[in-house]
Amino acid sequence: MDQIQAMRVFARVVESGTFTLAASSLQLPKASVTKHVQALEDRLRVKLLNRTTRRVTVTTDGAAYYDRAVRLLSDFDELEASMSQVRATPRGRLRVDVGTSIARLLIIPQLASFQARYPDIQIDLGVTDRTVDLIADNVDCVIRGGELRDQSLVARRVGNVEFSTVASPGYLQQHGTPQHPRDLENGHNSVIYFSPVTQRRYPLEFQHNGEVIEMTNPSTLAVNEANAYTTSLLSGQGVGQITSYQAREYLKSGQLVQILPEWTQPLLPVYVVYPPNSHLSAKVRAFVDWVVEIFAADPLLQCK
């Protein structure tokens, strides 16, 4: 426990910039703060801090130690919290990464309800369609669609979404409304999505009564971000396929029109994913349970 205390003291000195301010925030005598840091340096046999009469600066070794120490202290606090009554009131900083469309349409609009329920959790919300490395990027959990490839992570399926084939009224007025997927091969423009990581291009796909058609003809436009993809369809760039929960507000307002409704795509599974060592974390558990709730409440996110 003395090592944990010394680590906390050192981290506070780095963050506050002086021994005096660190001692005040920790409610310890300044001499005790100095003693802890000196003992830590003696044990590690490295100099962690440069001391002047006015300020303390961290050495290169000290900066590296600080980064690891902050993570270890966070893990230690999470473990302590999960095994105590603090479990009932999760707290701490939670780093979450979410795809752009899920963030805009689902997570951000309802985030106030999570913050009201768990006021002691502070969220750092990363929004990107790129796949992040949870371990390297120090991310607590992510919400992602599609089948999972990294079997070392813990995944909980929270929903399934279907796709709709759509175009803008202006586009259909100019090019006509296709009655069959093959109609898109002549006189129509298609907009497809490509992966921002692998650059893989996803063709428009249609299934009906066991028949599968992939539109392999060159696309007019390819986009690698979900919100930009939807905007391209709204602006009349062509025919595309977006999830039904993305299309909902635009179909209702008439900004988009669904075409070929009897032709479908495979459902897209959606998961909340986190590293194995996060299963004890009260704040991760709280967020995952909340995500399950909001997905379960929307029929368009529970398609079968």
Side-chain angles (χ1 to χ4, degrees):
M1 189 60 68
D2 287 343
Q3 290 183 340
I4 295 293
Q5 178 67 6
M7 199 180 294
R8 290 191 192 280
V9 170
F10 166 73
R12 189 60 58 86
V13 172
V14 172
E15 292 160 358
S16 61
T18 70
F19 281 82
T20 301
L21 289 177
S24 177
S25 64
L26 292 169
Q27 296 183 334
L28 291 173
K30 182 180 176 182
S32 296
V33 171
T34 302
K35 182 180 179 181
H36 277 299
V37 173
Q38 288 176 342
L40 188 60
E41 289 179 322
D42 291 342
R43 184 169 63 252
L44 298 174
R45 298 182 181 179
V46 295
K47 187 176 183 180
L48 300 174
L49 299 171
N50 290 315
R51 304 160 175 81
T52 68
T53 56
R54 293 187 176 182
R55 190 158 183 85
V56 174
T57 58
V58 65
T59 66
T60 301
D61 288 333
Y65 184 83
Y66 171 79
D67 288 339
R68 290 295 303 276
V70 169
R71 293 189 187 186
L72 289 171
L73 288 171
S74 177
D75 288 344
F76 179 80
D77 290 341
E78 291 291 350
L79 180 60
E80 289 283 291
S82 69
M83 298 301 173
S84 70
Q85 291 303 316
V86 180
R87 173 181 291 188
T89 54
R91 57 171 53 90
R93 187 162 299 279
L94 181 68
R95 171 72 193 279
V96 179
D97 195 85
V98 185
T100 55
S101 63
I102 291 177
R104 183 178 72 86
L105 295 171
L106 193 65
I107 300 300
I108 293 176
Q110 301 193 61
L111 200 54
S113 68
F114 178 84
Q115 293 169 323
R117 188 184 303 180
Y118 302 107
D120 295 325
I121 296 179
Q122 300 83 45
I123 292 183
D124 290 345
L125 184 66
V127 180
T128 177
D129 286 340
R130 293 183 176 273
T131 303
V132 299
D133 186 323
L134 277 79
I135 306 301
D137 296 329
N138 198 28
V139 175
D140 293 300
C141 65
V142 301
I143 303 174
R144 283 292 183 266
E147 294 301 334
L148 302 174
R149 292 182 173 85
D150 191 342
Q151 299 302 313
S152 67
L153 301 174
V154 179
R156 181 172 178 180
R157 184 181 291 212
V158 293
N160 295 296
V161 294
E162 62 182 3
F163 287 82
S164 297
T165 304
V166 297
S168 71
Y171 172 86
L172 295 176
Q173 184 177 9
Q174 181 179 356
H175 296 271
T177 301
Q179 302 301 310
H180 189 278
R182 293 297 182 193
D183 294 345
L184 297 175
E185 296 177 336
N186 297 296
H188 280 280
N189 302 327
S190 61
V191 181
I192 67 170
Y193 183 85
F194 73 95
S195 168
V197 178
T198 66
Q199 309 304 307
R200 176 187 172 188
R201 302 166 77 85
Y202 294 87
L204 302 186
E205 183 178 352
F206 301 89
Q207 296 182 359
H208 180 60
N209 289 337
E211 182 181 4
V212 179
I213 298 175
E214 285 191 358
M215 306 307 298
T216 57
N217 53 308
S219 62
T220 307
L221 176 66
V223 183
N224 70 350
E225 194 272 335
N227 291 327
Y229 183 90
T230 302
T231 301
S232 69
L233 300 176
L234 290 166
S235 64
Q237 293 295 320
V239 174
Q241 292 174 325
I242 58 177
T243 61
S244 296
Y245 79 87
Q246 288 174 276
R248 173 168 46 198
E249 61 180 295
Y250 303 115
L251 294 175
K252 185 176 181 180
S253 67
Q255 292 174 273
L256 290 176
V257 177
Q258 184 177 12
I259 60 176
L260 304 171
E262 68 277 12
W263 291 84
T264 63
Q265 269 197 323
L267 295 178
L268 180 73
V270 182
Y271 298 89
V272 58
V273 185
Y274 48 95
N277 63 347
S278 292
H279 77 282
L280 287 175
S281 168
K283 62 186 179 184
V284 171
R285 254 196 327 270
F287 184 79
V288 171
D289 290 343
W290 176 76
V291 169
V292 170
E293 286 181 22
I294 61 174
F295 267 79
D298 192 328
L300 287 184
L301 298 171
Q302 299 295 325
C303 300
K304 296 181 179 180

